[in-house]
Amino acid sequence: MAGAPPSTATDAVLVQSEEMPADSVVVTGYDFSDGVDYHALLQTYLTSGFQATSFGKAVEEINRMLEKKAEPLPVDPEEEETLNLHPLGRPKTNCTIFLGYTSNLISSGVRDTLRFLAKHNMVDCIVATAGGVEEDFIKCLAPTYMGEFHMRGKDLRLKGINRIGNLLVPNDNYCKFEDWITPILDQMLLEQKTQGIVWTPSKMINRLGKEIDNPDSVYYWCYKNNIPVFSPALTDGSIGDMLYFHSYKNPGLILDIIEDIRRINNIAVHSPHTGMIILGGGLVKHHIYNANLMRNGADYAVNVNTAQEFDGSDCGARPDEAVSWGKIKLTANPVKVYADATIVFPLLVAETFAKNIKALKTS
């Protein structure tokens, strides 16, 4: 029998909308009818929604860092013109860019992207885990291989093969690492005793970058370009194993973590502006964030990880939590991309650092 639908239903379903604001952005994606243009494709991420939009915002945030970095350095009347508290005497720019990453990214192919940034002197300070340091040197001595996530740990252990996700590292690689690093540790201890050198984790990484003398290494380029690399938990990995063994074979080597906290904090304090790019979380994220607390927060921030905030972890925390601590400025527009950094970070670099390489080298 024909008739009007129940008014209760129509009132619920056919609610009238207010007009959208004039500056509202329309959701659009990429039309492959126009051919394959990867730059144009990535530009449409900003208006695609979900984590694609977060990616687009991260591109904008990193480009803001680079634009600020390229601006002339302001004169601070309260500081002597020649004052430079950078531990390696690295020239100041208008924006100091901190880069942090976890060890799995050096184990992965993203190492090549990280090396690009160090080789072309595009970041000013790096914080890495112990694995993020040693795996770079180990890859100069022997390769890492592709595997599968489902490979059984018991079978691999019996073969002397270590698994990192779906990557495989023969244990012989770490034996080669011991053979390489032990004479260097001996020499460091000798210099400590005879020259009074106070070694810190960052000084040790700088020395290892010099000793590896291999352009495949991220830290070779950090050594060449005076980019300090901090690793406050440097003993938490194979380097720690080697230091443990060395403490029996040739005891006495000391690493001073207090000098390093002074170094990284002063880099932040005496920077006109700062930007943070953090891949992963945990120690590398908080060490950079906390250094920026000393200047009442970073001006720019991009985080890439898959962690959620429901468990209260620092890794999962959204950037706004850091604003409450004074680690990101109230005026900042920080971005978090919830994604695997092995997918996202090379694309971020393609749309930011790599696109601006000529301008960055000129500045």
Side-chain angles (χ1 to χ4, degrees):
M1 183 176 181
S7 61
T8 301
T10 56
D11 290 346
V13 174
L14 304 176
V15 173
Q16 295 298 303
S17 302
E18 293 183 1
E19 289 291 324
M20 292 293 292
D23 60 352
S24 296
V25 178
V26 176
V27 175
T28 56
Y30 183 74
D31 185 353
F32 283 97
S33 300
D34 299 327
V36 178
D37 181 334
Y38 292 109
H39 171 58
L41 168 63
L42 293 174
Q43 283 187 313
T44 65
Y45 277 27
L46 188 63
T47 57
S48 290
F50 309 133
Q51 291 311 300
T53 295
S54 296
F55 172 89
K57 289 181 177 180
V59 168
E60 291 182 332
E61 181 77 341
I62 293 174
N63 280 329
R64 283 192 288 267
M65 294 183 204
L66 298 179
E67 289 166 9
K68 182 60 67 175
K69 190 177 188 64
E71 292 178 2
L73 187 66
V75 177
D76 187 345
E78 296 184 3
E79 282 195 357
E80 297 178 24
E81 191 173 342
T82 57
L83 179 63
N84 186 353
L85 295 182
H86 195 284
L88 296 176
R90 183 178 173 81
K92 272 189 179 182
T93 65
N94 200 27
C95 184
T96 299
I97 297 179
F98 292 82
L99 173 65
Y101 48 82
T102 47
S103 64
N104 53 330
L105 297 178
I106 287 287
S107 300
S108 76
V110 174
R111 175 198 184 219
D112 296 314
T113 304
L114 298 169
R115 183 180 62 238
F116 167 80
L117 297 178
K119 179 177 180 178
H120 296 284
N121 210 11
M122 292 180 169
V123 297
D124 301 289
C125 178
I126 290 175
V127 176
T129 59
V133 174
E134 66 210 19
E135 292 294 331
D136 176 67
F137 297 122
I138 291 168
K139 278 186 167 183
C140 292
L141 305 173
T144 296
Y145 299 93
M146 293 303 305
E148 299 288 350
F149 283 101
H150 59 73
M151 297 177 79
R152 293 185 67 218
K154 180 179 178 180
D155 295 339
L156 293 173
R157 181 60 178 170
L158 293 173
K159 296 176 181 179
I161 297 174
N162 305 291
R163 182 170 67 84
I164 305 170
N166 61 347
L167 311 179
L168 299 177
V169 187
N171 207 60
D172 284 349
N173 292 18
Y174 297 95
C175 300
K176 292 175 182 176
F177 182 56
E178 182 185 21
D179 293 340
W180 174 75
I181 199 172
T182 299
I184 301 171
L185 298 178
D186 288 337
Q187 182 61 32
M188 287 172 57
L189 176 57
L190 178 63
E191 292 173 16
Q192 175 186 298
K193 290 177 176 178
T194 60
Q195 301 176 30
I197 292 179
V198 178
W199 292 104
T200 71
S202 68
K203 289 180 184 177
M204 179 176 176
I205 296 165
N206 183 262
R207 179 60 171 269
L208 296 178
K210 176 184 178 181
E211 296 290 344
I212 196 68
D213 195 24
N214 187 329
D216 290 341
S217 166
V218 175
Y219 305 115
Y220 166 81
W221 290 108
C222 289
Y223 160 72
K224 295 282 282 187
N225 290 325
N226 286 341
I227 301 170
V229 181
F230 295 95
S231 186
L234 189 61
T235 57
D236 186 33
S238 183
I239 287 181
D241 300 342
M242 301 308 133
L243 289 168
Y244 171 67
F245 297 151
H246 189 263
S247 72
Y248 283 94
K249 297 175 182 177
N250 192 2
L253 183 63
I254 296 170
L255 294 180
D256 181 2
I257 62 172
I258 297 175
E259 183 178 336
D260 262 5
I261 195 66
R262 237 181 107 98
R263 287 174 150 220
I264 190 171
N265 285 358
N266 278 338
I267 291 173
V269 167
H270 294 279
S271 295
H273 303 87
T274 61
M276 308 185 296
I277 302 172
I278 316 291
L279 312 177
L283 176 124
V284 299
K285 178 187 175 189
H286 189 262
H287 203 58
I288 292 175
Y289 270 50
N290 209 64
N292 279 272
L293 168 61
M294 301 300 150
R295 64 184 308 278
N296 202 29
D299 301 276
Y300 311 96
V302 168
N303 296 273
V304 180
N305 66 50
T306 56
Q308 305 291 324
E309 67 177 342
F310 66 86
D311 60 359
S313 67
D314 181 75
C315 184
R318 290 180 298 112
D320 189 62
E321 183 176 305
V323 174
S324 77
W325 288 88
K327 298 171 184 176
I328 297 176
K329 287 193 179 298
L330 301 177
T331 53
N333 295 290
V335 181
K336 177 170 179 178
V337 185
Y338 291 85
D340 177 352
T342 61
I343 299 171
V344 167
F345 189 60
L347 301 179
L348 278 176
V349 170
E351 288 296 288
T352 55
F353 292 97
K355 274 183 60 183
N356 295 292
I357 185 169
K358 290 183 180 179
L360 287 169
K361 283 193 169 184
T362 301
S363 64

